[in-house]
Structure formats: structure tokens, C-alpha cells
Coordinates of all heavy atoms in Angstrom, one line a residue:
M212 N 0.8 -1.2 0.0 CA 0.0 0.0 0.0 C 0.9 1.3 0.0 O 1.8 1.3 0.8 CB -0.9 0.0 1.2 CG -1.8 1.1 1.3 SD -2.8 0.9 2.8 CE -4.1 2.0 2.5
I213 N 0.5 2.2 -0.8 CA 1.3 3.4 -0.9 C 0.8 4.4 0.2 O -0.4 4.7 0.2 CB 1.2 4.1 -2.3 CG1 1.7 3.1 -3.3 CG2 1.9 5.4 -2.3 CD1 1.5 3.6 -4.8
E214 N 1.7 4.8 1.0 CA 1.3 5.7 2.1 C 1.2 7.2 1.7 O 0.4 7.9 2.3 CB 2.2 5.5 3.3 CG 2.2 4.2 3.9 CD 3.1 4.0 5.1 OE1 3.7 5.0 5.6 OE2 3.4 2.8 5.4
N215 N 2.1 7.6 0.8 CA 2.2 9.0 0.5 C 1.6 9.2 -0.9 O 2.4 9.5 -1.9 CB 3.6 9.5 0.6 CG 4.1 9.5 2.0 OD1 3.4 9.8 2.9 ND2 5.4 9.1 2.1
Q216 N 0.3 9.1 -1.1 CA -0.3 9.3 -2.4 C -0.4 10.8 -2.8 O -0.7 11.0 -3.9 CB -1.6 8.6 -2.4 CG -1.6 7.1 -2.3 CD -2.9 6.5 -2.4 OE1 -3.9 7.1 -2.5 NE2 -2.9 5.1 -2.3
N217 N -0.1 11.7 -1.9 CA -0.3 13.1 -2.2 C 1.0 13.7 -2.8 O 1.1 14.9 -3.0 CB -0.7 13.9 -0.9 CG -2.1 13.5 -0.5 OD1 -2.9 13.2 -1.4 ND2 -2.4 13.6 0.7
I218 N 2.1 12.9 -2.9 CA 3.3 13.4 -3.5 C 3.1 13.6 -5.0 O 2.7 12.7 -5.7 CB 4.5 12.4 -3.2 CG1 4.7 12.3 -1.7 CG2 5.7 12.8 -4.0 CD1 5.7 11.3 -1.3
R219 N 3.5 14.8 -5.4 CA 3.3 15.1 -6.8 C 4.6 15.5 -7.4 O 5.5 16.1 -6.7 CB 2.3 16.3 -7.0 CG 1.0 16.1 -6.2 CD -0.1 16.1 -7.1 NE -1.2 15.7 -6.4 CZ -2.4 15.9 -6.8 NH1 -2.7 16.5 -7.9 NH2 -3.4 15.5 -6.0
P220 N 4.8 15.2 -8.7 CA 6.1 15.7 -9.3 C 6.2 17.2 -9.4 O 5.1 17.9 -9.5 CB 6.0 15.0 -10.7 CG 4.6 14.8 -11.0 CD 4.0 14.6 -9.6
A221 N 7.4 17.7 -9.5 CA 7.5 19.2 -9.6 C 7.2 19.6 -11.0 O 6.8 20.7 -11.2 CB 9.0 19.6 -9.2
Q222 N 7.5 18.7 -12.0 CA 7.2 19.0 -13.4 C 6.9 17.8 -14.2 O 7.3 16.7 -13.7 CB 8.3 19.8 -14.0 CG 9.6 19.0 -14.1 CD 10.7 19.9 -14.8 OE1 10.7 21.1 -14.8 NE2 11.8 19.2 -15.3
V223 N 6.2 17.9 -15.3 CA 5.9 16.8 -16.2 C 6.2 17.3 -17.6 O 6.4 18.5 -17.8 CB 4.5 16.3 -16.1 CG1 4.2 15.8 -14.7 CG2 3.5 17.4 -16.4
I224 N 6.3 16.4 -18.5 CA 6.6 16.7 -19.9 C 5.2 17.1 -20.5 O 4.3 16.3 -20.5 CB 7.2 15.6 -20.7 CG1 8.5 15.2 -20.0 CG2 7.4 15.9 -22.1 CD1 9.6 16.3 -19.9
G225 N 5.2 18.3 -21.2 CA 4.0 18.7 -21.8 C 3.7 18.1 -23.2 O 4.6 17.3 -23.7
P226 N 2.7 18.5 -23.8 CA 2.3 17.9 -25.1 C 3.3 18.2 -26.2 O 3.4 17.5 -27.2 CB 0.9 18.5 -25.4 CG 0.9 19.8 -24.6 CD 1.7 19.5 -23.4
L227 N 4.0 19.3 -26.1 CA 5.0 19.7 -27.1 C 6.4 19.4 -26.7 O 7.4 19.8 -27.3 CB 4.9 21.2 -27.4 CG 3.5 21.7 -27.9 CD1 3.5 23.2 -28.0 CD2 3.1 21.0 -29.2
G228 N 6.6 18.6 -25.6 CA 7.9 18.2 -25.2 C 8.6 19.1 -24.2 O 9.7 18.8 -23.7
E229 N 7.9 20.2 -23.8 CA 8.5 21.1 -22.9 C 8.1 20.8 -21.5 O 7.1 20.1 -21.3 CB 8.0 22.6 -23.2 CG 6.6 22.9 -22.8 CD 5.5 22.2 -23.5 OE1 5.7 21.5 -24.5 OE2 4.3 22.4 -23.1
P230 N 8.9 21.1 -20.5 CA 8.5 20.8 -19.1 C 7.4 21.7 -18.6 O 7.3 22.9 -18.9 CB 9.8 21.1 -18.3 CG 10.7 21.9 -19.2 CD 10.2 21.7 -20.6
L231 N 6.4 21.1 -17.9 CA 5.3 21.8 -17.4 C 5.3 21.8 -15.9 O 5.6 20.8 -15.3 CB 4.0 21.2 -17.8 CG 3.4 21.4 -19.2 CD1 2.1 20.6 -19.3 CD2 3.0 22.8 -19.4
T232 N 5.1 23.0 -15.3 CA 5.0 23.1 -13.8 C 3.6 23.6 -13.5 O 2.9 24.1 -14.4 CB 6.1 24.0 -13.2 OG1 5.9 25.3 -13.7 CG2 7.5 23.5 -13.6
V233 N 3.2 23.7 -12.3 CA 1.9 24.2 -11.9 C 1.9 25.7 -12.3 O 0.9 26.2 -12.8 CB 1.7 24.1 -10.4 CG1 0.4 24.8 -10.0 CG2 1.6 22.6 -10.0
D234 N 3.0 26.4 -12.2 CA 3.1 27.8 -12.6 C 3.0 28.1 -14.1 O 2.6 29.1 -14.5 CB 4.4 28.5 -12.0 CG 4.4 28.5 -10.5 OD1 3.3 28.5 -9.9 OD2 5.5 28.5 -10.0
S235 N 3.4 27.1 -14.9 CA 3.4 27.3 -16.3 C 2.1 26.8 -17.0 O 1.9 26.9 -18.2 CB 4.6 26.6 -17.0 OG 4.5 25.2 -16.8
L236 N 1.2 26.2 -16.2 CA -0.1 25.8 -16.7 C -0.9 27.1 -17.1 O -0.7 28.2 -16.6 CB -0.9 25.0 -15.7 CG -0.3 23.6 -15.4 CD1 -1.0 23.0 -14.2 CD2 -0.5 22.7 -16.6
P237 N -2.0 26.9 -17.9 CA -2.8 28.0 -18.2 C -3.4 28.7 -17.0 O -3.6 28.0 -16.0 CB -4.0 27.4 -19.1 CG -3.4 26.1 -19.6 CD -2.4 25.6 -18.6
P238 N -3.6 30.0 -17.0 CA -4.1 30.7 -15.8 C -5.5 30.2 -15.5 O -6.3 29.7 -16.3 CB -4.2 32.1 -16.3 CG -3.6 32.2 -17.6 CD -3.4 30.9 -18.1
Q239 N -5.9 30.3 -14.2 CA -7.2 29.8 -13.7 C -8.3 30.5 -14.4 O -9.4 30.0 -14.4 CB -7.3 30.0 -12.2 CG -6.3 29.0 -11.4 CD -6.5 29.2 -10.0 OE1 -7.1 30.1 -9.5 NE2 -5.9 28.2 -9.2
S240 N -8.1 31.7 -14.8 CA -9.1 32.5 -15.4 C -9.3 32.3 -16.9 O -10.1 33.0 -17.6 CB -8.8 34.0 -15.2 OG -7.6 34.3 -15.8
T241 N -8.7 31.2 -17.4 CA -8.8 30.9 -18.8 C -10.2 30.6 -19.2 O -10.9 29.8 -18.6 CB -7.9 29.7 -19.2 OG1 -6.6 30.0 -18.9 CG2 -8.0 29.3 -20.7
T242 N -10.7 31.3 -20.3 CA -12.0 31.0 -20.8 C -12.0 30.6 -22.3 O -12.9 30.0 -22.8 CB -12.9 32.3 -20.7 OG1 -12.3 33.4 -21.4 CG2 -13.2 32.7 -19.3
R243 N -10.9 30.9 -22.9 CA -10.7 30.6 -24.4 C -9.8 29.4 -24.4 O -8.6 29.5 -24.2 CB -10.1 31.7 -25.2 CG -10.0 31.4 -26.6 CD -9.7 32.7 -27.4 NE -9.7 32.4 -28.8 CZ -8.5 32.0 -29.4 NH1 -7.4 31.9 -28.8 NH2 -8.5 31.7 -30.7
W244 N -10.3 28.2 -24.7 CA -9.5 27.0 -24.6 C -9.1 26.6 -26.0 O -9.8 26.0 -26.8 CB -10.4 25.8 -24.0 CG -10.5 26.0 -22.6 CD1 -11.6 26.6 -21.9 CD2 -9.5 25.7 -21.6 NE1 -11.3 26.6 -20.6 CE2 -10.0 26.1 -20.3 CE3 -8.2 25.2 -21.6 CZ2 -9.3 25.9 -19.2 CZ3 -7.5 25.1 -20.5 CH2 -8.1 25.4 -19.2
V245 N -7.9 26.9 -26.3 CA -7.2 26.4 -27.6 C -6.7 25.0 -27.4 O -6.5 24.6 -26.2 CB -6.2 27.4 -28.1 CG1 -6.8 28.8 -28.4 CG2 -5.0 27.6 -27.1
V246 N -6.3 24.4 -28.5 CA -5.8 23.0 -28.4 C -4.6 22.9 -27.5 O -4.6 21.9 -26.6 CB -5.5 22.5 -29.8 CG1 -4.8 21.2 -29.8 CG2 -6.7 22.5 -30.7
R247 N -3.7 23.7 -27.5 CA -2.5 23.6 -26.7 C -2.8 23.7 -25.2 O -2.3 22.9 -24.4 CB -1.5 24.8 -27.1 CG -0.2 24.7 -26.2 CD 0.7 25.9 -26.5 NE 0.0 27.2 -26.4 CZ -0.2 27.8 -25.2 NH1 0.1 27.2 -24.1 NH2 -0.8 28.9 -25.2
R248 N -3.7 24.6 -24.8 CA -4.0 24.7 -23.4 C -4.8 23.5 -22.9 O -4.5 23.0 -21.8 CB -4.9 26.0 -23.2 CG -4.2 27.3 -23.4 CD -5.1 28.4 -23.1 NE -4.4 29.7 -23.5 CZ -5.0 30.7 -24.1 NH1 -6.3 30.6 -24.3 NH2 -4.3 31.8 -24.4
K249 N -5.7 23.0 -23.7 CA -6.4 21.7 -23.3 C -5.4 20.6 -23.2 O -5.4 19.9 -22.2 CB -7.4 21.3 -24.4 CG -8.6 22.2 -24.5 CD -9.5 21.8 -25.7 CE -10.6 22.7 -26.0 NZ -11.4 22.2 -27.1
A250 N -4.5 20.5 -24.1 CA -3.5 19.4 -24.1 C -2.5 19.6 -22.9 O -2.1 18.6 -22.3 CB -2.6 19.4 -25.4
E251 N -2.2 20.8 -22.5 CA -1.4 21.0 -21.3 C -2.1 20.5 -20.0 O -1.4 19.9 -19.2 CB -1.0 22.5 -21.2 CG 0.1 22.9 -22.2 CD 0.4 24.4 -22.1 OE1 -0.4 25.2 -21.5 OE2 1.4 24.8 -22.7
V252 N -3.3 20.8 -19.9 CA -4.1 20.4 -18.7 C -4.2 18.9 -18.7 O -4.0 18.2 -17.7 CB -5.5 21.1 -18.7 CG1 -6.3 20.5 -17.5 CG2 -5.3 22.6 -18.5
V253 N -4.5 18.3 -19.8 CA -4.5 16.8 -19.9 C -3.2 16.2 -19.5 O -3.1 15.2 -18.8 CB -5.0 16.3 -21.3 CG1 -4.9 14.8 -21.5 CG2 -6.5 16.7 -21.5
S254 N -2.1 16.7 -20.1 CA -0.8 16.2 -19.8 C -0.4 16.4 -18.3 O 0.2 15.5 -17.7 CB 0.3 17.0 -20.6 OG 0.2 16.7 -21.9
A255 N -0.9 17.5 -17.7 CA -0.6 17.7 -16.2 C -1.3 16.7 -15.4 O -0.8 16.1 -14.4 CB -1.1 19.1 -15.8
V256 N -2.6 16.3 -15.8 CA -3.3 15.3 -15.0 C -2.7 13.9 -15.3 O -2.5 13.2 -14.3 CB -4.8 15.4 -15.4 CG1 -5.5 14.2 -14.8 CG2 -5.4 16.7 -14.9
N257 N -2.4 13.6 -16.5 CA -1.8 12.3 -16.8 C -0.5 12.1 -16.2 O -0.2 11.0 -15.8 CB -1.7 12.1 -18.3 CG -3.1 11.9 -19.0 OD1 -4.1 11.7 -18.3 ND2 -3.1 12.1 -20.3
G258 N 0.3 13.2 -16.0 CA 1.6 13.1 -15.4 C 1.6 13.2 -13.9 O 2.6 13.0 -13.2
G259 N 0.4 13.4 -13.3 CA 0.3 13.5 -11.9 C 0.5 14.9 -11.2 O 0.6 15.0 -10.0
L260 N 0.7 15.9 -12.1 CA 1.0 17.2 -11.6 C -0.3 17.8 -10.9 O -0.2 18.5 -9.9 CB 1.4 18.1 -12.7 CG 2.0 19.5 -12.4 CD1 3.2 19.4 -11.6 CD2 2.3 20.3 -13.7
L261 N -1.5 17.5 -11.5 CA -2.8 17.8 -10.9 C -3.6 16.6 -10.9 O -3.5 15.7 -11.7 CB -3.5 18.8 -11.8 CG -3.0 20.2 -12.0 CD1 -3.8 21.0 -13.0 CD2 -3.0 21.0 -10.7
S262 N -4.6 16.5 -10.0 CA -5.6 15.5 -10.0 C -6.7 15.9 -10.9 O -6.8 17.1 -11.2 CB -6.1 15.2 -8.6 OG -6.9 16.2 -8.1
V263 N -7.5 15.0 -11.3 CA -8.7 15.4 -12.1 C -9.6 16.4 -11.4 O -10.0 17.3 -12.0 CB -9.5 14.1 -12.5 CG1 -10.8 14.5 -13.2 CG2 -8.7 13.1 -13.3
D264 N -9.8 16.1 -10.1 CA -10.6 17.0 -9.3 C -10.0 18.4 -9.2 O -10.7 19.4 -9.3 CB -10.8 16.5 -7.9 CG -11.7 15.2 -7.9 OD1 -12.5 15.0 -8.8 OD2 -11.5 14.4 -7.0
D265 N -8.7 18.5 -9.0 CA -8.0 19.8 -8.9 C -8.1 20.5 -10.3 O -8.4 21.7 -10.3 CB -6.5 19.6 -8.6 CG -6.2 19.1 -7.2 OD1 -7.1 19.2 -6.4 OD2 -5.1 18.6 -7.0
A266 N -8.0 19.8 -11.4 CA -8.0 20.5 -12.7 C -9.4 21.0 -13.0 O -9.6 22.1 -13.4 CB -7.6 19.5 -13.8
C267 N -10.4 20.2 -12.6 CA -11.8 20.6 -12.9 C -12.2 21.8 -12.0 O -12.8 22.7 -12.5 CB -12.8 19.4 -12.6 SG -12.7 18.1 -13.8
E268 N -11.7 21.8 -10.7 CA -12.0 22.9 -9.8 C -11.3 24.2 -10.3 O -11.8 25.2 -10.3 CB -11.7 22.5 -8.4 CG -12.0 23.6 -7.4 CD -11.6 23.2 -6.0 OE1 -11.7 22.0 -5.7 OE2 -11.2 24.1 -5.2
R269 N -10.0 24.0 -10.6 CA -9.2 25.1 -11.0 C -9.7 25.8 -12.2 O -9.6 27.1 -12.3 CB -7.7 24.6 -11.2 CG -6.7 25.6 -11.6 CD -5.4 25.0 -11.8 NE -4.4 26.0 -12.3 CZ -3.2 26.2 -11.9 NH1 -2.8 25.6 -10.8 NH2 -2.5 27.1 -12.4
Y270 N -10.2 25.1 -13.2 CA -10.6 25.7 -14.5 C -12.1 25.7 -14.7 O -12.5 26.1 -15.8 CB -9.9 24.9 -15.6 CG -8.4 25.0 -15.6 CD1 -7.6 23.9 -15.3 CD2 -7.8 26.3 -15.8 CE1 -6.2 24.1 -15.2 CE2 -6.4 26.4 -15.8 CZ -5.6 25.3 -15.5 OH -4.3 25.4 -15.4
G271 N -12.8 25.3 -13.7 CA -14.3 25.4 -13.8 C -14.8 24.4 -14.9 O -15.8 24.7 -15.6
L272 N -14.2 23.2 -15.0 CA -14.6 22.2 -16.0 C -15.5 21.2 -15.3 O -15.4 20.9 -14.1 CB -13.4 21.5 -16.5 CG -12.3 22.4 -17.2 CD1 -11.1 21.5 -17.4 CD2 -12.8 23.0 -18.4
T273 N -16.4 20.6 -16.1 CA -17.1 19.4 -15.6 C -16.3 18.2 -15.8 O -15.4 18.2 -16.7 CB -18.5 19.3 -16.3 OG1 -18.2 19.0 -17.7 CG2 -19.3 20.5 -16.2
L274 N -16.6 17.2 -15.1 CA -15.8 15.9 -15.2 C -16.0 15.4 -16.6 O -15.1 14.8 -17.2 CB -16.3 14.9 -14.2 CG -15.5 13.6 -14.1 CD1 -14.0 13.9 -13.9 CD2 -16.1 12.7 -13.0
E275 N -17.2 15.5 -17.2 CA -17.5 15.0 -18.5 C -16.7 15.8 -19.6 O -16.2 15.2 -20.5 CB -19.0 15.1 -18.9 CG -19.9 14.2 -18.0 CD -20.1 14.7 -16.6 OE1 -19.9 15.9 -16.4 OE2 -20.5 13.9 -15.8
E276 N -16.6 17.1 -19.4 CA -15.8 17.9 -20.3 C -14.3 17.5 -20.3 O -13.7 17.3 -21.4 CB -15.9 19.4 -20.0 CG -15.3 20.3 -21.0 CD -15.6 21.8 -20.6 OE1 -16.0 22.1 -19.5 OE2 -15.4 22.6 -21.5
F277 N -13.8 17.3 -19.1 CA -12.4 16.9 -19.0 C -12.2 15.5 -19.6 O -11.2 15.3 -20.3 CB -11.8 17.0 -17.6 CG -10.4 16.7 -17.5 CD1 -9.4 17.5 -17.9 CD2 -10.1 15.4 -17.1 CE1 -8.1 17.2 -17.9 CE2 -8.7 15.0 -17.0 CZ -7.7 15.9 -17.4
A278 N -13.1 14.6 -19.3 CA -13.0 13.3 -19.8 C -13.0 13.2 -21.3 O -12.3 12.4 -22.0 CB -14.1 12.4 -19.2
G279 N -13.8 14.1 -21.9 CA -13.8 14.2 -23.3 C -12.5 14.7 -23.9 O -12.1 14.2 -25.0
W280 N -11.8 15.6 -23.2 CA -10.5 16.0 -23.7 C -9.5 14.9 -23.6 O -8.8 14.7 -24.5 CB -10.0 17.2 -22.8 CG -10.7 18.5 -22.9 CD1 -11.8 18.8 -23.7 CD2 -10.4 19.7 -22.2 NE1 -12.1 20.1 -23.5 CE2 -11.3 20.6 -22.6 CE3 -9.5 20.0 -21.2 CZ2 -11.3 21.9 -22.0 CZ3 -9.4 21.3 -20.7 CH2 -10.3 22.2 -21.1
Q281 N -9.6 14.1 -22.5 CA -8.7 13.0 -22.4 C -8.9 12.0 -23.5 O -8.0 11.4 -24.1 CB -8.8 12.3 -21.0 CG -8.0 13.0 -19.9 CD -8.0 12.2 -18.7 OE1 -9.1 11.7 -18.2 NE2 -6.9 12.1 -18.0
R282 N -10.2 11.7 -23.7 CA -10.5 10.7 -24.7 C -10.1 11.1 -26.1 O -9.5 10.4 -26.9 CB -12.1 10.5 -24.8 CG -12.5 9.1 -24.9 CD -14.0 8.9 -24.8 NE -14.9 10.1 -24.7 CZ -15.4 10.6 -23.6 NH1 -15.1 10.0 -22.4 NH2 -16.2 11.6 -23.6
A283 N -10.2 12.4 -26.4 CA -9.8 13.0 -27.7 C -8.3 12.9 -27.9 O -7.8 12.5 -28.9 CB -10.2 14.4 -27.8
V284 N -7.5 13.2 -26.8 CA -6.1 13.0 -26.9 C -5.7 11.6 -27.1 O -4.8 11.3 -27.9 CB -5.4 13.6 -25.6 CG1 -3.9 13.3 -25.5 CG2 -5.6 15.2 -25.6
D285 N -6.3 10.7 -26.3 CA -6.0 9.3 -26.4 C -6.3 8.7 -27.9 O -5.5 7.9 -28.4 CB -6.8 8.4 -25.4 CG -6.3 8.7 -24.0 OD1 -5.2 9.2 -23.8 OD2 -7.1 8.3 -23.1
R286 N -7.4 9.2 -28.4 CA -7.8 8.7 -29.8 C -7.0 9.3 -30.9 O -6.6 8.6 -31.8 CB -9.2 8.9 -30.0 CG -10.1 8.1 -29.1 CD -11.6 8.4 -29.4 NE -12.5 7.6 -28.6 CZ -13.8 7.8 -28.5 NH1 -14.4 8.7 -29.3 NH2 -14.5 7.0 -27.8
S287 N -6.8 10.6 -30.9 CA -6.3 11.3 -32.1 C -5.2 12.3 -31.8 O -4.8 13.0 -32.6 CB -7.5 12.1 -32.7 OG -8.6 11.3 -33.0
G288 N -4.7 12.3 -30.5 CA -3.6 13.3 -30.2 C -4.2 14.7 -30.1 O -5.4 14.9 -30.0
M289 N -3.3 15.6 -30.2 CA -3.7 17.0 -30.1 C -4.7 17.5 -31.2 O -5.6 18.2 -30.9 CB -2.5 18.0 -30.1 CG -1.7 18.0 -28.8 SD -0.3 19.1 -28.8 CE -1.0 20.7 -29.1
P290 N -4.6 17.0 -32.4 CA -5.6 17.4 -33.4 C -7.0 17.0 -33.0 O -8.0 17.6 -33.4 CB -5.2 16.6 -34.7 CG -3.7 16.4 -34.5 CD -3.5 16.2 -33.0
G291 N -7.2 16.0 -32.2 CA -8.5 15.6 -31.7 C -9.2 16.6 -30.8 O -10.4 16.5 -30.6
L292 N -8.4 17.5 -30.3 CA -9.0 18.5 -29.4 C -9.6 19.7 -30.2 O -10.2 20.6 -29.6 CB -7.9 19.0 -28.4 CG -7.4 18.0 -27.4 CD1 -6.2 18.5 -26.7 CD2 -8.5 17.7 -26.4
R293 N -9.4 19.8 -31.5 CA -9.9 20.9 -32.3 C -11.4 20.8 -32.3 O -12.0 19.8 -32.7 CB -9.3 20.8 -33.7 CG -7.9 21.1 -33.7 CD -7.3 21.1 -35.1 NE -8.0 22.2 -35.9 CZ -8.0 22.2 -37.2 NH1 -7.5 21.2 -37.9 NH2 -8.6 23.1 -37.8
V294 N -12.1 21.8 -31.9 CA -13.5 21.9 -31.8 C -14.1 21.7 -33.2 O -15.1 21.1 -33.4 CB -14.0 23.2 -31.1 CG1 -15.5 23.3 -31.2 CG2 -13.5 23.2 -29.7
T295 N -13.5 22.3 -34.2 CA -14.1 22.3 -35.5 C -13.9 21.0 -36.2 O -14.6 20.7 -37.2 CB -13.3 23.4 -36.4 OG1 -11.9 23.1 -36.5 CG2 -13.6 24.8 -35.9
R296 N -13.2 20.0 -35.6 CA -13.0 18.7 -36.3 C -13.5 17.6 -35.4 O -13.2 16.4 -35.7 CB -11.5 18.5 -36.6 CG -10.9 19.6 -37.5 CD -11.4 19.4 -38.9 NE -10.8 18.3 -39.5 CZ -11.1 17.8 -40.7 NH1 -12.0 18.4 -41.4 NH2 -10.5 16.8 -41.2
I297 N -14.2 17.9 -34.4 CA -14.7 16.8 -33.4 C -15.4 15.7 -34.2 O -15.2 14.5 -34.0 CB -15.5 17.4 -32.3 CG1 -14.6 18.1 -31.3 CG2 -16.3 16.3 -31.6 CD1 -15.4 18.8 -30.2
Q298 N -16.4 16.1 -35.0 CA -17.2 15.1 -35.7 C -16.3 14.2 -36.6 O -16.5 13.0 -36.7 CB -18.3 15.8 -36.6 CG -19.4 16.3 -35.8 CD -20.2 15.3 -35.1 OE1 -19.7 14.5 -34.3 NE2 -21.4 15.2 -35.4
H299 N -15.3 14.8 -37.3 CA -14.5 14.1 -38.2 C -13.7 13.0 -37.4 O -13.6 11.9 -37.8 CB -13.5 15.0 -38.9 CG -12.4 14.3 -39.7 ND1 -12.6 13.6 -40.8 CD2 -11.1 14.1 -39.4 CE1 -11.5 13.1 -41.2 NE2 -10.5 13.4 -40.3
Y300 N -13.0 13.4 -36.3 CA -12.2 12.5 -35.6 C -13.1 11.4 -34.9 O -12.7 10.3 -34.7 CB -11.3 13.2 -34.5 CG -10.3 14.0 -35.2 CD1 -10.2 15.4 -35.2 CD2 -9.2 13.3 -35.9 CE1 -9.2 16.0 -35.9 CE2 -8.2 14.0 -36.5 CZ -8.2 15.3 -36.5 OH -7.2 16.0 -37.2
R301 N -14.3 11.8 -34.4 CA -15.2 10.9 -33.8 C -15.6 9.8 -34.8 O -15.6 8.6 -34.5 CB -16.4 11.6 -33.2 CG -17.3 10.6 -32.4 CD -18.5 11.4 -31.8 NE -17.9 12.4 -30.8 CZ -18.5 13.5 -30.6 NH1 -19.6 13.9 -31.2 NH2 -18.0 14.4 -29.7
S302 N -16.0 10.2 -36.0 CA -16.4 9.2 -37.0 C -15.2 8.3 -37.4 O -15.4 7.1 -37.7 CB -17.1 9.9 -38.2 OG -16.2 10.7 -38.9
L303 N -14.0 8.9 -37.5 CA -12.8 8.2 -37.9 C -12.6 7.1 -36.8 O -12.3 6.0 -37.2 CB -11.7 9.1 -38.0 CG -10.3 8.5 -38.4 CD1 -10.4 7.9 -39.8 CD2 -9.2 9.6 -38.3
Y304 N -12.7 7.5 -35.6 CA -12.4 6.5 -34.5 C -13.4 5.4 -34.5 O -13.1 4.2 -34.4 CB -12.4 7.2 -33.1 CG -12.3 6.3 -32.0 CD1 -11.0 5.8 -31.7 CD2 -13.4 5.9 -31.2 CE1 -10.9 4.9 -30.6 CE2 -13.2 5.0 -30.2 CZ -12.0 4.5 -29.9 OH -11.8 3.7 -28.8
E305 N -14.7 5.7 -34.7 CA -15.8 4.7 -34.8 C -15.5 3.8 -35.9 O -15.8 2.6 -35.8 CB -17.1 5.4 -34.9 CG -17.5 6.1 -33.6 CD -18.7 6.9 -33.7 OE1 -19.3 7.1 -34.8 OE2 -19.2 7.5 -32.7
R306 N -15.1 4.3 -37.1 CA -14.8 3.4 -38.2 C -13.6 2.5 -37.9 O -13.7 1.3 -38.3 CB -14.5 4.2 -39.5 CG -15.8 4.7 -40.2 CD -15.4 5.4 -41.4 NE -14.9 6.7 -41.0 CZ -14.3 7.6 -41.7 NH1 -14.1 7.4 -43.0 NH2 -13.9 8.7 -41.2
Q307 N -12.6 3.0 -37.2 CA -11.5 2.1 -36.9 C -11.9 1.0 -35.9 O -11.3 -0.1 -35.9 CB -10.4 3.0 -36.2 CG -9.7 3.9 -37.2 CD -8.7 4.8 -36.5 OE1 -8.8 5.0 -35.3 NE2 -7.8 5.5 -37.3
Q308 N -12.8 1.3 -35.0 CA -13.3 0.3 -34.0 C -14.0 -0.8 -34.7 O -14.1 -1.9 -34.2 CB -14.1 1.0 -33.0 CG -13.4 1.9 -32.1 CD -12.2 1.3 -31.4 OE1 -12.3 0.1 -31.0 NE2 -11.1 2.0 -31.3
R309 N -14.6 -0.6 -35.8 CA -15.4 -1.6 -36.5 C -14.5 -2.7 -37.2 O -15.0 -3.8 -37.4 CB -16.3 -1.0 -37.6 CG -17.5 -0.3 -37.0 CD -18.5 0.1 -38.1 NE -18.8 1.5 -37.9 CZ -19.1 2.4 -38.8 NH1 -19.1 2.1 -40.0 NH2 -19.3 3.6 -38.4
Y310 N -13.3 -2.3 -37.5 CA -12.5 -3.3 -38.3 C -11.3 -3.8 -37.5 O -10.9 -3.4 -36.5 CB -11.9 -2.6 -39.5 CG -13.0 -2.1 -40.4 CD1 -13.3 -0.7 -40.5 CD2 -13.8 -3.0 -41.1 CE1 -14.3 -0.3 -41.4 CE2 -14.8 -2.6 -41.9 CZ -15.1 -1.2 -42.1 OH -16.1 -0.8 -42.9

């Protein structure tokens, strides 16, 4: 059993290969979510820099919204986070699952 589950790394590798720290994450007041910012938050959670609850609280996101970002990154990488291409990537993923 792990006793110190609250230990977090000081930095993680971001979506573009740069180191991410809590200070370099998008500001809490972010309202315009571009692909890079979404990917940075997903990378921070995946790397253990933030918990899912911390990220949702910090940025005013719902759990479903954040889970959608994670799913998009897992399926299509950063391009999957583009709002204008969601339908394209979703249908592409569904077609891949059939075969």
C-alpha cells in the first residue's frame, strides 16, 4: 500500500515536449480553450501534476468535459482537441473500431 499518495512531481513533460509546472499551466481565469491549453491540462493530469478534481475545480470544468478532452487526446492526439474537427475524428475513431 502506498502511504504518500499526495506526493506530486515538480514538473511533467507537456504535449510539445517542454517541461510543465503548476506555474506554467494556463491561468485559472482561462475562458478561451485552444488546443495547446487543453493538451497542457490533460498532460498535467496524466503526469500527476494535478488530480482530475484539482483540474476541474481550478478551471471550472465538468468531469465529462475533461474526460472528453482525455478521450480525444488518447484517440487522435492534439488534433482531436480541435472543436471544428470533433465530428471528423469521432467518426474516424468509430470506423477504426469496426475493423
